[in-house]
Amino acid sequence: MTQPSAQQLYVSDMTDDEIELLKKLEEANRRIEYDTKSPVNTTQNPLANLRSPESYHEQLRQDSVSSDLSNVTTDSDANLENEWIIWNKIINNWSIYIKKKPQWIKDMIRANVPIHFRPLVWQCLAKVNTSTAREKYIDYMKMTSSCEKIIRRDISRTYPEHEFFKEKHGIGQERLFNVIKAYSLFDREVGYCQGIGFIVGLLLMHMPEEEAFAVLVSIMQDFSMRDMYKPDMFCLCLCMYQLECMIQEFLPDLYRHFQTENFNTSMYASSWFLTLFTTQFPLNIVSHVMDLFLSEGIEIIFRIAIALLEIHQNELMVLSMEDMLKVCIIY
């Protein structure tokens, strides 16, 4: 079976600009993954880059030929139907595939997850089936959080143009409030930070409250996102330092320009990490970023950040600090 590319899947749901951006993000993702000098890769997994891109794709082609999927046709006209068949098999046999063919699953996720399977894929990646968070959620609904007032204040600022969340005290805003409140009770050290709302909102666009809460707990606990929101913000500062090192390595001209303009990394990139880009991209791409984050972890946020800066490098190089800040905020 030949694996479809990201731009071949569900392009009817994306604009040409979104498809082109996905292509560029994936190209940068691949390049950084295989660069042995990447600060992210070398500090977290020094063995991750021993394979060349060529050997990686050769192995991927071998992995993608699975005996129980060998009778799936590869005609381009049947591509959509094939994807549904494949993803249905993956979901129904998740524990087997993720154990025996993790690289193939990773690449399938990179190619894009069909929207109808996305809620289940996110829950599988977050290991919701082994979590007790859903049961706890019911109890949290009966409790009062000290953060309720500030959560209420910020609700209307979360996806204000989205139909599901725009109505004051509507079903979307109430579900958003419930899940955020529940987490503030679950993790009293972190409590509530505004960036959490955008992550919760994205989850609620795809699944009910209980499942959204369980995935959120996994994102915060298992993927260490809660460390970003701690009062001392040490982890966020560390990420800013790592990203700055990557910019110096991969985009040296842009790094020097940033230094000349006193354009600090935290000025533009903090929200990228705190919200997983949910405030920067169209929802189609935001959803795919969440696919990648749950599959590959925080490294993907670094790679997307570098890809964005690379795409806009020529534009940024002629801007002052004030103008660059405006540009980076709207990415």
Side-chain angles (χ1 to χ4, degrees), residues 267-285:
M267 290 180 177
Y268 60 89
S270 294
S271 66
W272 296 354
F273 285 80
L274 289 173
T275 69
L276 302 179
F277 284 104
T278 53
T279 59
Q280 272 72 40
F281 289 140
L283 288 176
N284 282 323
I285 295 181

Side-chain angles (χ1 to χ4, degrees), residues 48 72 95 113 137 184-185 200 223 259:
V72 176
S95 59
V113 179
Y137 184 77
S184 73
L185 291 165
V200 173
F223 292 80
Q259 294 294 303

Side-chain angles (χ1 to χ4, degrees), residues 179-322:
V179 175
I180 297 173
K181 183 193 84 168
Y183 189 80
S184 73
L185 291 165
F186 173 85
D187 187 349
R188 295 177 186 270
E189 181 184 8
V190 169
Y192 167 71
C193 293
Q194 188 176 8
I196 294 175
F198 290 95
I199 297 175
V200 173
L202 180 64
L203 297 177
L204 286 172
M205 293 176 200
H206 292 83
M207 62 191 74
E209 290 177 48
E210 292 86 348
E211 285 74 14
F213 175 69
V215 175
L216 175 66
V217 168
S218 178
I219 288 172
M220 300 294 281
Q221 305 291 319
D222 302 331
F223 292 80
S224 301
M225 274 296 291
R226 71 179 300 274
D227 294 333
M228 298 273 190
Y229 294 100
K230 284 183 178 179
D232 62 10
M233 304 194 81
F234 173 79
C235 185
L236 180 62
C237 291
L238 178 60
C239 287
M240 295 300 97
Y241 171 74
Q242 289 177 310
L243 178 60
E244 186 170 339
C245 290
M246 292 183 70
I247 296 170
Q248 184 176 16
E249 179 66 41
F250 292 103
L251 305 169
D253 292 339
L254 187 61
Y255 173 79
R256 285 190 289 270
H257 181 60
F258 283 173
Q259 294 294 303
T260 300
E261 293 293 327
N262 294 315
F263 193 45
N264 189 277
T265 311
S266 61
M267 290 180 177
Y268 60 89
S270 294
S271 66
W272 296 354
F273 285 80
L274 289 173
T275 69
L276 302 179
F277 284 104
T278 53
T279 59
Q280 272 72 40
F281 289 140
L283 288 176
N284 282 323
I285 295 181
V286 166
S287 297
H288 188 53
V289 170
M290 183 61 76
D291 297 339
L292 298 173
F293 174 77
L294 291 172
S295 175
E296 305 184 34
I298 195 66
E299 282 189 20
I300 203 67
I301 305 302
F302 285 96
R303 295 173 187 170
I304 292 173
I306 292 296
L308 270 181
L309 293 173
E310 182 178 30
I311 291 169
H312 294 278
Q313 179 173 208
N314 291 339
E315 178 184 0
L316 292 169
M317 288 290 292
V318 298
L319 296 178
S320 66
M321 186 265 285
E322 292 80 6

Side-chain angles (χ1 to χ4, degrees), residues 141-158:
M141 288 299 94
K142 303 172 185 176
M143 301 168 62
T144 301
S145 168
S146 61
C147 302
E148 289 189 16
K149 186 175 181 179
I150 190 171
I151 294 173
R152 283 287 184 194
R153 184 198 66 188
D154 289 342
I155 287 295
S156 61
R157 305 175 187 178
T158 307

Side-chain angles (χ1 to χ4, degrees), residues 60 94 222:
L60 178 62
W94 180 266
D222 302 331

Side-chain angles (χ1 to χ4, degrees), residues 6-7 11-12 14-24 285:
Q7 60 268 33
V11 293
S12 60
M14 295 189 180
T15 66
D16 291 341
D17 288 343
E18 290 173 353
I19 294 169
E20 185 63 24
L21 178 56
L22 275 179
K23 288 173 60 178
K24 291 179 178 178
I285 295 181

